[in-house]
């Protein structure tokens, strides 16, 4: 009798919620996220934080994340192609270039300047053997390997001064983008925007905070109902525990390889 081998598949739960300061001021959430699980178990996720000073920061964040993910998905990439670092790097750079162009075109359509749609952008491509990230601005991507080690794949770009960062449409942003390609047995992945980075990270040494990430990874691994899981994630992000620590908009993307 043959026994079927279950191939691990990605399970993703993600949410963007409005920070308490924006709620008080009756402002929209400026964060956005988007993700797709492509054939051959390739996961693509993106998160963006619209600039507080940008009148259409939310629009810019939405356009950037959706364009970046869709650009990669249209390439019909399979895991064999991702064995080449040059292919991976080219794919990531193409995604943020397309996102930048799309934001600039949206600005023209809205009769605005590109900086009116300014946002950060993090794009991740992950398979069970690879995690690759390109990042402009703050926020961070975190991975857990098969033996339980957590690692920050990127470093938040907080700029020269407090509360300053680089945005997708900033001059020279594409050239300064962080790119990290890590070939390790990835079992969990998370992407956060800067509203969570002071809770989720030891910023002094750029180390992920295990008590923050590990319960979330376990939660997603056991989340059979995606709708309920998202509701629970939103409830967590809106909890008093979080609100006491940050009043910024929050995006949290959590992925787990499950059998």
């Amino acid at each position: 009798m043959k026994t079927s081998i279950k191939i691990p598949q990605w399970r993703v739960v993600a949410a963007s919620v409005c920070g308490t300061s924006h709620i008080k001021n009756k402002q929209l959430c400026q964060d956005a996220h988007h993700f797709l699980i492509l054939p051959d178990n390739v996961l693509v996720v993106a998160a963006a934080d619209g600039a507080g000073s940008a009148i259409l920061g939310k629009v810019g964040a939405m356009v950037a994340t959706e364009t970046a993910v869709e650009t990669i998905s249209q390439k019909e990439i399979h895991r064999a192609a991702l064995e080449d670092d040059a292919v991976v790097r080219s794919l990531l750079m193409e995604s943020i270039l397309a996102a930048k162009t799309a934001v600039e075109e949206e600005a023209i359509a809205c009769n605005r300047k590109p900086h009116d749609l300014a946002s950060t952008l993090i794009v991740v491509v992950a398979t069970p053997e690879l995690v690759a990230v390109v990042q402009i601005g703050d926020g961070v991507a975190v991975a857990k390997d098969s033996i339980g080690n957590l690692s920050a794949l990127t470093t938040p770009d907080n700029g020269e001064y407090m509360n300053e960062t680089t945005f997708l449409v900033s001059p020279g942003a594409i050239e300064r983008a962080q790119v990290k390609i890590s070939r390790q047995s990835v079992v969990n992945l998370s992407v956060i925007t800067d509203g969570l980075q002071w809770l989720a990270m030891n910023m002094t040494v750029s180390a992920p905070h295990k008590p923050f990430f590990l319960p979330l990874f376990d939660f997603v691994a056991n989340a059979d109902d995606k709708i309920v899981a998202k509701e629970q994630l939103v409830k967590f992000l809106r909890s008093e525990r979080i609100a006491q620590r940050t009043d910024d908009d929050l995006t949290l993307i959590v992925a787990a390889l499950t059998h």
Side-chain angles (χ1 to χ4, degrees):
M1 181 178 178
K2 291 184 179 180
T3 57
S4 59
I5 299 173
K6 289 187 176 181
I7 299 172
Q9 297 294 323
W10 288 109
R11 179 178 292 161
V12 183
V13 181
S16 294
V17 304
C18 198
T20 54
S21 63
H22 283 182
I23 292 172
K24 288 176 184 175
N25 295 324
K26 297 182 179 179
Q27 294 174 304
L28 294 173
C29 174
Q30 301 294 305
D31 279 12
H33 68 274
H34 191 50
F35 68 87
L36 286 174
I37 301 171
L38 307 181
D40 204 19
N41 214 14
V42 177
L43 172 65
V44 186
V45 304
D49 176 6
S53 59
I55 193 167
L56 294 177
K58 173 68 172 183
V59 175
M62 291 176 63
V63 170
T65 52
E66 291 173 12
T67 302
V69 172
E70 295 297 336
T71 297
I72 293 173
S73 71
Q74 290 167 8
K75 298 295 181 183
E76 299 182 355
I77 289 291
H78 292 272
R79 280 154 66 182
L82 297 175
E83 292 174 5
D84 185 338
D85 280 4
V87 170
V88 176
R89 179 177 286 271
S90 175
L91 196 64
L92 292 173
M93 295 307 295
E94 188 171 342
S95 74
I96 61 170
L97 276 167
K100 180 176 183 287
T101 299
V103 170
E104 291 169 343
E105 289 174 349
E106 184 69 19
I108 293 170
C110 296
N111 198 26
R112 293 283 182 179
K113 300 292 185 183
H115 63 75
D116 291 327
L117 285 76
S119 78
T120 63
L121 181 60
I122 303 174
V123 184
V124 182
V125 175
T127 72
E129 310 85 20
L130 161 80
V131 58
V133 189
V134 62
Q135 176 167 329
I136 294 174
D138 47 25
V140 67
V142 170
K144 189 182 85 170
D145 65 20
S146 58
I147 58 174
N149 293 320
L150 285 180
S151 59
L153 301 167
T154 55
T155 303
D157 176 4
N158 291 313
E160 186 179 351
Y161 304 103
M162 189 69 177
N163 297 324
E164 179 191 83
T165 191
T166 303
F167 297 109
L168 179 63
V169 295
S170 299
I174 300 295
E175 292 74 18
R176 295 200 305 273
Q178 296 181 61
V179 179
K180 176 68 178 291
I181 300 172
S182 178
R183 298 196 178 276
Q184 56 176 311
S185 52
V186 180
V187 295
N188 290 106
L189 175 71
S190 182
V191 177
I192 60 173
T193 51
D194 78 312
L196 282 171
Q197 67 190 29
W198 295 98
L199 286 79
M201 301 286 296
N202 180 338
M203 297 296 289
T204 307
V205 292
S206 295
H209 191 43
K210 285 187 176 182
F212 181 88
F213 286 105
L214 295 184
L216 286 168
F217 290 151
D218 288 341
F219 160 70
V220 172
N222 294 294
D224 294 325
D225 189 320
K226 293 179 182 178
I227 295 174
V228 172
K230 178 160 185 175
E231 290 173 351
Q232 291 174 325
L233 190 65
V234 169
K235 186 177 179 180
F236 166 70
L237 291 174
R238 289 178 175 163
S239 67
E240 189 65 25
R241 171 191 167 194
I242 300 295
Q244 287 176 347
R245 302 282 301 278
T246 178
D247 63 356
D248 200 359
D249 293 339
L250 309 170
T251 290
L252 175 59
I253 303 169
V254 189
L257 272 176
T258 59
H259 289 275

